Structures are given as C-alpha cells and as structure tokens.
Amino acid sequence: MRVLVTGAAGFIGAAVARRLCERGDSVLGIDSLDPYYQVSLKEDRLRELTAAAPDRFAFKQVDFSDWAALQSALEGEEFAAIIHLGAQAGVRYSLENPHAYVSANLMGHLNLLEIARARQTGHMVYASSSSVYGGNDKLPFAVEDRADHPVSLYAATKRADELMSETYAHLYRLPLTGLRFFTVYGPWGRPDMALWLFTDAILAGRPIKVFNHGEMWRDFTFIDDIVSGVVACLDKPPADDDSEKAGGSVKPHALYNIGNHRSEHLMKVIGLIEDACGKKAQLEMLPMQAGDVEKTYADIDAIQRDIGYQPTTTIEHGIPQFVQWYRAYHGV
C-alpha cells in the first residue's frame, strides 16, 4: 500500500513513515520545511529516512495549506490512505504567531480533507492533540469528555479540525480517525519541547525554566509507542455502519487518546534527565505560562479496546534513550 504522509520531515511524521516502509508499504512524504525550528534537523530526518528506505520513500517539499501548490504536487501521484501529521505545533508559539496556526492547522486540514474527498481515499488518520481538553479538571481525560473550552489558539485549531472531520465523515462518508497525542518524546524529537530544552540547558550549564514552580504533570508518550498506535489505527478504519464510535460519532469518524496512561510529575522528569546527563540542573522557578495547563493524563480505554494499542515504554526507559540520542546527534 502507498500512503501519503504529511509532516514527513517532522518528529512523528518521519518516524511513522519509516515504520510504514519497514513493514513493506511505500510512502509519499510531503512537508513545507517550515523554519519554526531549525530546518537542518528536518533535513537530517529526511536523509536518514531516505537512506533507510530508498526504494519505498519519496519526498516532495510543498506547503499543504496552499491549495494550488498541493494539487500540483499530488498530480499524477497515487496513494490508498493518508496520515496527516503536518501542522503548526506548539501551544506557546500560538501566542506569538496566531496566523500561522490558522493557515497550517485550519486551511491545511481542510485541504487534506478535500484531497481525501476528491480521491475517495480509503482512510485518513490525522493528528489532534491532548490540548483540546483545555483546563478540564476531570482526570484522566476521556474522549467522551467535553472539549469546547480551549485555553490556547493551538488547541482551538485542533478541536476545529475534529469538527471539520466530523462534517466530512457525515457529508461524504469518509473514514477518518483523529488521534489526540499526549506529550510525545524520544529520539529525533522537537527542539521546542521540554525534554530537548532541559537536556540542552543542563548539558550546557544553563538554567532551565520550570513553569508553575514545578507543579506540572504530563502524560509522556515515547515515540515508538505513538508510531505503533498510528499505524494500528491506519489499519482499522472506522466502519460506516451507524454504530457509535469512540468520541461519540455515528459516522465513520473515530477519536482516540494516544498516550502512556501515566501522568508524571515534572520534577521527576527533570530528575531523570539529570541522571541521564550526569549533571544537576539549575532551576529557574516561574509562574504558569499563558495558554498552558497544569495536568494531562490520557484515558486510553477506547484505543486499547478498538485497536489493541498498548504503550510499553516508561519514562525511566524512554528519557535515557532520548538523552543518549541527543548527545550523539550533537556530539556532546
């Protein structure tokens, strides 16, 4: 099977593309190589991916929020399914550059839905986010919980993607699966994420910024577990049978949390990074940052029941793997 993967130069996209190629599928990857963080890292991911699967992976640089450019790039290309992982990521950056989120996350998502509709694609799996739960106090977050009080524009765009997808599943009977990711980390991760920022600062002897004075909890999910869940979801599109799917839709549209089902205290995470680095962190304790939430915790009953997803990597094993990769990649 040939699969279109958006955000193929990104952290999750590159890992998913590699897994698909390893199991015998072929991948057409697209990415705009946006300079939100260093393009060199994205190019290195693509180089590694191309070297690992030269006959199964093809790449085109295109901004999928540009409808004309996307249509042109995909002209003559065939694929049976779509994994739409490309997006403007980051809660904090949405405070600085809101237009980027509307362009990439709203127009971009609509464009991929239109591609799927026009081609009657067999299944599209797309990235949502745990941020859609906003400041919900009920833990763990379940897909049946309300998600209509976002606390950041990033969260609002991801919830809007889910609502647009529900509409397309209703109007055009497109099989769609949305995945609410919970704090993904691991080798080849993103430089704007806490693990990268903390590791970088600790090794360089700089202080790390610890928001809410360290009273933060996150459901950290290792990249290999995420990839296994994404691919398993791809293989099981929601049926168009009027039955209620995870998330409440009776159309061929399912929503799943994809996390580790463990909410870890930030100070514990910092301690594990210190151990892996062999250095103590200098802590700069700060108040809660606008748009952030205190706790995330994934209820994964639905994806376990329907897909058989089962995360296996604890932070005690995953964090040292990230730090080892980081040091090798940067030669430190």
Side-chain angles (χ1 to χ4, degrees):
M1 175 171 69
R2 195 177 197 217
V3 182
L4 174 66
V5 177
T6 74
F11 173 31
I12 303 175
V16 167
R18 179 162 187 164
R19 180 75 64 86
L20 290 170
C21 292
E22 286 173 347
R23 74 172 193 168
D25 294 325
S26 59
V27 171
L28 171 61
I30 63 173
D31 199 297
S32 68
L33 300 183
D34 182 87
Y36 165 62
Y37 61 82
Q38 59 259 41
V39 174
S40 60
L41 176 62
K42 301 179 181 184
E43 292 171 337
D44 287 343
R45 293 189 190 116
L46 288 173
R47 269 192 290 272
E48 193 214 31
L49 183 52
T50 302
D55 300 325
R56 295 187 180 276
F57 179 72
F59 176 75
K60 292 189 175 186
Q61 183 176 349
V62 61
D63 180 356
F64 57 75
S65 69
D66 182 332
W67 176 238
L70 180 62
Q71 284 184 302
S72 177
L74 297 182
E75 186 175 355
E77 299 285 357
E78 295 185 1
F79 42 87
I82 299 171
I83 300 180
H84 177 36
L85 300 171
Q88 178 58 60
V91 168
R92 292 162 189 162
Y93 185 60
S94 68
L95 302 174
E96 304 170 25
N97 190 359
H99 293 90
Y101 290 77
V102 171
S103 176
N105 298 2
L106 297 183
M107 287 303 301
H109 190 75
L110 175 63
N111 288 347
L112 267 297
L113 287 171
E114 277 292 291
I115 291 293
R117 180 186 68 82
R119 294 175 176 242
Q120 286 298 292
T121 301
H123 189 200
M124 183 170 103
V125 177
Y126 66 91
S128 186
S129 168
S130 62
S131 66
V132 301
Y133 292 110
N136 284 10
D137 292 327
K138 172 187 165 291
L139 294 170
F141 299 150
V143 289
E144 296 79 19
D145 295 344
R146 291 184 66 173
D148 51 3
H149 296 288
V151 298
S152 69
L153 181 64
Y154 170 69
T157 63
K158 285 301 186 178
R159 182 60 179 142
D161 290 346
E162 295 178 351
L163 296 174
M164 281 194 281
S165 298
E166 175 67 9
T167 303
Y168 270 64
H170 168 70
L171 291 173
Y172 309 115
R173 318 314 296 184
L174 282 176
L176 299 164
T177 299
L179 298 177
R180 294 172 174 174
F181 293 118
F182 280 72
T183 313
V184 188
Y185 75 100
W188 292 102
R190 287 202 341 249
D192 62 326
M193 298 293 283
L195 257 70
W196 183 299
L197 293 170
F198 290 170
T199 300
D200 180 63
I202 291 169
L203 290 174
R206 299 191 311 272
I208 63 175
K209 295 181 178 180
V210 183
F211 292 103
N212 204 34
H213 304 282
E215 293 307 301
M216 304 276 278
W217 287 259
R218 289 290 181 272
D219 194 329
F220 286 90
T221 317
F222 193 65
I223 183 62
D224 291 358
D225 290 330
I226 288 287
V227 170
S228 295
V230 172
V231 173
C233 284
L234 178 69
D235 293 340
K236 196 168 183 181
D240 188 8
D241 59 1
D242 297 323
S243 66
E244 186 172 325
K245 313 302 188 296
S249 177
V250 294
K251 312 304 190 298
H253 180 214
L255 290 172
Y256 294 112
N257 289 334
I258 182 164
N260 204 34
H261 193 54
R262 293 178 60 167
S263 196
E264 308 285 3
H265 191 236
L266 181 59
M267 298 309 297
K268 176 182 177 181
V269 171
I270 291 171
L272 289 170
I273 300 171
E274 289 175 326
D275 291 345
C277 290
K279 294 181 68 175
K280 282 292 183 183
Q282 303 172 44
L283 306 179
E284 182 182 353
M285 295 299 193
L286 297 169
M288 180 72 89
Q289 188 165 243
D292 220 339
V293 297
E294 184 178 334
K295 297 179 181 180
T296 68
Y297 182 13
D299 180 334
I300 59 172
D301 287 351
I303 195 171
Q304 286 178 313
R305 178 192 68 234
D306 296 349
I307 307 298
Y309 169 75
Q310 187 59 53
T312 61
T313 310
T314 64
I315 58 171
E316 287 82 0
H317 289 91
I319 287 175
Q321 288 187 57
F322 169 74
V323 174
Q324 181 181 27
W325 170 84
Y326 180 94
R327 301 189 78 153
Y329 181 73
H330 291 93
V332 294

